[in-house]
């Protein structure tokens, strides 16, 4: 994300370690596309604004309306991520 038009965007709450991205919506919840959700126990990696890495695992899922899947992480992610 350091190059190109996205360099000014804060992507610290978006996990890109898999093509099936996951976005933090609370310290323990992520939202994903239902048709492209990550599997149970999959690692979810976030980076803070300085590039420091933190990893969590998906431990639960709940289907939302339309193409929305909400995932539960094994531990909360600190606010600076």
């Amino acid at each position: 994300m350091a190059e190109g038009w996205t360099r000014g965007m804060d992507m610290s709450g978006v996990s890109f370690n898999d093509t099936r991205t996951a976005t933090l919506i609370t310290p323990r919840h992520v939202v994903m596309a239902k048709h492209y959700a990550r599997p149970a126990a999959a690692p979810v990696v976030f980076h803070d604004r300085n590039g420091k890495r933190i990893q969590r695992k998906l431990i639960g899922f709940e289907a939302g309306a339309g193409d929305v899947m909400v995932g539960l992480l094994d531990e909360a992610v600190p606010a600076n991520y």
Side-chain angles (χ1 to χ4, degrees):
M1 292 291 159
E3 309 232 353
W5 67 270
T6 59
R7 71 183 291 161
M9 296 176 68
D10 178 3
M11 302 298 281
S12 55
V14 182
S15 177
F16 290 104
N17 67 301
D18 189 300
T19 56
R20 297 165 290 185
T21 60
T23 303
L24 280 170
I25 55 173
T26 77
R28 284 199 66 199
H29 295 89
V30 295
V31 66
M32 306 169 275
K34 190 186 305 182
H35 77 272
Y36 205 47
R38 294 186 188 196
V44 183
V45 178
F46 299 100
H47 294 86
D48 70 8
R49 292 178 180 150
N50 297 313
K52 185 177 176 188
R53 174 188 162 115
I54 192 167
Q55 181 173 310
R56 298 295 187 253
K57 287 190 179 184
L58 286 168
I59 61 169
F61 300 93
E62 185 71 34
D67 195 26
V68 176
M69 180 71 75
V70 177
L72 178 64
L73 302 175
D74 62 340
E75 293 181 60
V77 175
N80 59 320
Y81 284 85

